[in-house]
Amino acid sequence: MNFDFADESPKLVMLLYGLVAFVVVVGGLLLLLDAVPAWFARRREAQMVAAAANGVPLPRRRAQPREGVFALFFLTPAVLLLVIGLVVPAVRTTVLSFMDGGSDNWVGLRNYGWLFTQDDILRVIINTMVWVLLVPLIATIIGLLYAVMVDKARLEALAKSLIFMPMAISFVGASIIWKFVYAYRGEEQDQIGLLNHIVVSLGGEPKQWLLESPLNTLLLIVIMVWIQAGFAMVVLSAAIKAIPAEIVEAARLDGVNPWQMFWQVTLPSIRPALIVVVVTISIATLKVFDIVRTSTNGNYDTSVVANEMYNQAFRYGQNGQGAALAVFLFVLVIPIVIYQIRNLRQQREG
């Protein structure tokens, strides 16, 4: 395939404009963040030098007005980005969920009724619930086992790096890797998929693993667990190392065995970290899209809410139904976020 710079020049120019705009905006913000505090510091230093030279007391700072302006200066960009990137799209999506596929006419709650009356969409919701129930539970358990076994072991840093490595891979990349694991070829051909190769080596017949429901959903869940277990291990390992040595030593003096140490000392001590891990993985699982999209494209009863939302809005042109799925997904996330906020408040008060 030949690449013609003349034909592609408009795209290249647009790309150049985008890069320049990015550098200007980010560079300008960094310059402001560096220059403004430095300007205030130099002004204060000049006041101190002038006061010392004249032998007069340093003028008292009017803290609240000046600090208020200073705080407003730094908060304004963040608030603007929050409004533009979150609030406005959320309001618009909610409005679209009450309109038809072309976003022309109001249809009331018809799109939400469609969510719970179509068998295909009910299957999507059930799949999403299975993901949310299994991925946080299994990933946290495996991460905790990793953290306990690797803690203070030889080559601990190397082991943690290898376990955490899947987190550095994108969901799409991880899905492609696991598609090779599940790959299928005819019985007369050599199997390139690891799973089918093992099955054939044991005398079995190769299977098209990603075509068999509900097994295919469980196999996709394995990919997410493989990715998130490293995250759980890192957080929980840090929490285990933060347990006061006095508590561990007192438990050993009381004669507890390793099993009792884990259940009566380690687990209660790392409970806040466990909650953070479960909540974080739960939110990530609710939004899962890349794994399903890359592995099966949502076919064979493997679709989830995020994938179906994309299909309805961008493939089928049903903006109202896609927006209803987006609002439904947002509503599912809200209780988890509220629980996390309440938990953090209790920890601060405690």
Side-chain angles (χ1 to χ4, degrees), residues 64-303:
Q64 288 190 348
R66 182 170 298 175
E67 291 180 359
V69 173
F70 202 58
L72 183 62
F73 174 81
F74 284 103
L75 286 175
T76 299
V79 172
L80 287 176
L81 291 174
L82 185 65
V83 171
I84 296 172
L86 182 62
V87 177
V88 172
V91 172
R92 177 166 173 75
T93 301
T94 304
V95 172
L96 290 177
S97 68
F98 296 104
M99 304 180 74
D100 60 8
S103 304
D104 298 321
N105 303 309
W106 293 94
V107 295
L109 298 175
R110 191 175 71 185
N111 291 324
Y112 293 97
W114 167 82
L115 284 179
F116 301 103
T117 55
Q118 295 293 319
D119 292 340
D120 293 343
I121 305 304
L122 289 175
R123 166 56 61 183
V124 168
I125 295 174
I126 292 173
N127 286 345
T128 304
M129 293 300 101
V130 171
W131 277 77
V132 174
L133 288 174
L134 292 183
V135 172
L137 178 64
I138 299 175
T140 303
I141 291 174
I142 294 176
L144 181 58
L145 290 175
Y146 282 154
V148 172
M149 291 187 297
V150 172
D151 186 45
K152 298 180 181 178
R154 293 181 60 186
L155 302 177
E156 177 182 354
L158 177 61
K160 286 183 176 180
S161 299
L162 294 175
I163 295 170
F164 186 75
M165 191 173 294
M167 279 292 296
I169 305 174
S170 68
F171 284 2
V172 173
S175 302
I176 293 174
I177 292 171
W178 280 87
K179 281 188 73 175
F180 282 110
V181 174
Y182 301 142
Y184 166 83
R185 282 186 172 182
E187 296 182 16
E188 68 282 355
Q189 296 179 302
D190 293 334
Q191 298 299 320
I192 63 170
L194 177 61
L195 188 54
N196 273 321
H197 183 76
I198 294 173
V199 170
V200 171
S201 300
L202 296 176
E205 297 182 355
K207 294 183 179 181
Q208 299 188 50
W209 300 101
L210 296 180
L211 272 61
E212 299 183 10
S213 178
L215 177 62
N216 47 13
T217 294
L218 298 178
L219 293 177
L220 297 185
I221 287 175
V222 170
I223 303 175
M224 189 69 165
V225 170
W226 180 66
I227 296 172
Q228 296 294 334
F231 163 75
M233 181 269 300
V234 169
V235 176
L236 297 177
S237 178
I240 290 174
K241 291 184 178 297
I243 299 175
E246 296 81 3
I247 297 178
V248 177
E249 188 64 29
R252 288 175 179 168
L253 292 176
D254 288 340
V256 299
N257 56 42
W259 185 252
Q260 292 172 327
M261 175 73 76
F262 175 78
W263 285 102
Q264 300 177 11
V265 177
T266 303
L267 206 57
S269 300
I270 64 173
R271 180 178 175 273
L274 279 171
I275 293 174
V276 169
V277 169
V278 171
V279 168
T280 304
I281 297 179
S282 297
I283 294 175
T285 304
L286 274 172
K287 300 183 297 181
V288 67
F289 168 80
D290 313 63
I291 294 175
V292 175
R293 187 74 182 170
T294 304
S295 301
T296 64
N297 202 24
N299 297 320
Y300 318 113
D301 293 333
T302 59
S303 190

